[in-house]
Structure formats: structure tokens, C-alpha cells
Amino acid sequence: MPASQDKVVVTCALTGVLATREQCPWVPYTPVEIAEEARRAYEAGAAVVHIHARTDEGGPTFEPAVYAKIAEETRRRCPVILNFSTGGAGPMEGRVAHIAQVKPPIGALNMGSMNYATYSQRRKEFVFDFVFENTFRDIAFLLEVMNGAGVKPELECFDVGHTNSVWPLIDKGLLRQPLQFSFIMGVLGGIRASAENLALQAREAPRGSTWEVIGISHEQWLMVGAALSLGGNVRVGLEDNFYLDAAGTKMAGSNGDLVAKAVRMARDMGREPATVDEAGRMLSLA
């Protein structure tokens, strides 16, 4: 297929929950900073930005007013598609209020529970270790709110069991096809980052679905390459990875730097980044 017809949706995850300025000085916190990073990502070729709101001091927040301000500041700068997270801790009502009130085109939700950890080989200990709980009851509640708000759910799957969890939700009418998946690869407790495992995840998705890959940390560029070769979409950004090389020796100066590299990789493989309008059609947004 000619490159002009073989499109790839590039998503940029701007800030996340855990990334700090001590780790990378370019991580945005305030609505204006997040909006500026959204603009940089859009200008580099991203059609979608995935957003976790932060307090001005960098802590996580689900305050609808903060998300509304992020949306306002971003739309003032560029037409990029907004994707708001619901992941984290706390009551489900609080984790989805911003979706119901601000109504972004896409809302991300996690499709299952898991051990979620980071292990230090040097220190021989777990430096981050908790159970990430997402019951079917909670998933169904999030979907009810998203459906009521007209928000497209993006199904974040850390393992094959999460991907296969869609079937009862389709049967109940809570998920409406075509579905949109994010396959997160390389989190300890989830599926290992490899091209073979990504191909497995893609095969498990219902026919007609769209999907993107999220490679964590130094695995990001390997998984971007695998997704591009398999015909999938890609996500990069400071939430997932700070570095422009797989060895972790060259830190990106912005989210735009990471998007620009993903776009170069796509074009090197004969694929063109989708525009915002093209991405909206490819992802079946209203």
C-alpha cells in the first residue's frame, strides 16, 4: 500500500502519574505546561494526546476543573484529539467525574487487575510494588459513564487475559464494536515486551478493532518498530519513556522530540502519520 494510504495514528502520553521532574525536567505539571506539550506533540505529528491531570506541584488529581482547564488551554493551541485517563487509585466516581463533565473524545480505562511493580537489580529489591485493582464491576461502571457521555473507551490491556475480558462486556452491550485497544508491554506483572507477544495481543482483539502499542521505558522503540511492521498504531511520550535511544543515553527535551522520532520511524517503514481528521475516522470517533 502506498505510504499516503497506509496511515498510523501517533498518540503522545504527555505526563502520566509517576513521572517527576527529578527524573526528567521536561515533565509538565500545570494545565498550561501540559497544553504546551500537547502543542509540541501535535506539531511533531501526533493526532492524539493521552492526559493525566496533575496539581501544580506535580501530584495526581482527578479534579474535573483541572481537566477542563487542560482541555481549554490545549484547544486554544491545536486541534489534537484529547484522551483522558481514568487509571489510578480511589473511588470510581472520582476517577471518572472528569470524563462525564468534560467529555473528551476518548477515555482510557484499564481492563483488569494485576501486580504492578518495578524491580531494581542493583538494589535487589522492589522499589515500587502494589496490586492494581480493576474489577469487572468497576470496569462496567466506567463504561456506563463513558457511554452516557458519548466518550469512546480505549481499552488498556497489560496482558492477554485483559484483552479477552471484552467478551462479556460486549455481550452486556457495554462495549460497542469496533473496539480500540492499547497494549501495554513491559510492565513487571504484565506481558513481556516482544514482537511475538504483541502479535499475540493483536490476534486476540476482535476482528475490526484498532490497536496501539505502549512500550514502557527502554522497550518503547522496539515495540514502536514491531507495531509499525504489524500495521498497528503507536504511543510514545514522557509518561512511558524519557529517552530517544533504546540504551537510555539521550534524554528527550520534550514530548515533541519523542513524537518526531516515532514519525521518522513510521515514514522509514512506508507509513504516514494520520492527521487529526484521519485519526478520528480510523478510531471510529463520533
Side-chain angles (χ1 to χ4, degrees), residues 8 12 45 64 84 93 105 133 157 182 200 203 220 233 243 270 281:
V8 54
C12 187
F84 287 172
E93 293 81 359
E133 183 178 339
C157 301
S182 283
L200 170 63
R203 286 196 301 270
Q220 184 165 91
N233 300 314
Y243 295 98
R281 291 191 293 271

Side-chain angles (χ1 to χ4, degrees), residues 129-148:
D129 182 15
F130 82 110
V131 174
F132 191 34
E133 183 178 339
N134 297 280
T135 65
F136 278 111
R137 179 185 63 253
D138 289 341
I139 294 168
F141 175 74
L142 293 176
L143 287 171
E144 287 169 356
V145 174
M146 289 185 183
N147 290 337

Side-chain angles (χ1 to χ4, degrees), residues 143-172:
L143 287 171
E144 287 169 356
V145 174
M146 289 185 183
N147 290 337
V151 173
K152 174 87 172 185
E154 178 185 86
L155 311 177
E156 299 204 334
C157 301
F158 292 79
D159 215 332
V160 181
H162 295 176
T163 306
N164 280 313
S165 293
V166 300
W167 297 108
L169 301 169
I170 292 171
D171 187 63
K172 287 171 64 67

Side-chain angles (χ1 to χ4, degrees), residues 16-51:
V17 175
L18 300 176
T20 68
R21 287 180 180 159
E22 287 71 31
Q23 299 168 306
C24 173
W26 320 117
V27 174
Y29 289 168
T30 71
V32 168
E33 291 168 351
I34 291 171
E36 279 294 301
E37 283 298 291
R39 176 187 60 79
R40 293 184 182 101
Y42 167 76
E43 291 175 351
V48 181
V49 289
H50 175 76
I51 294 172

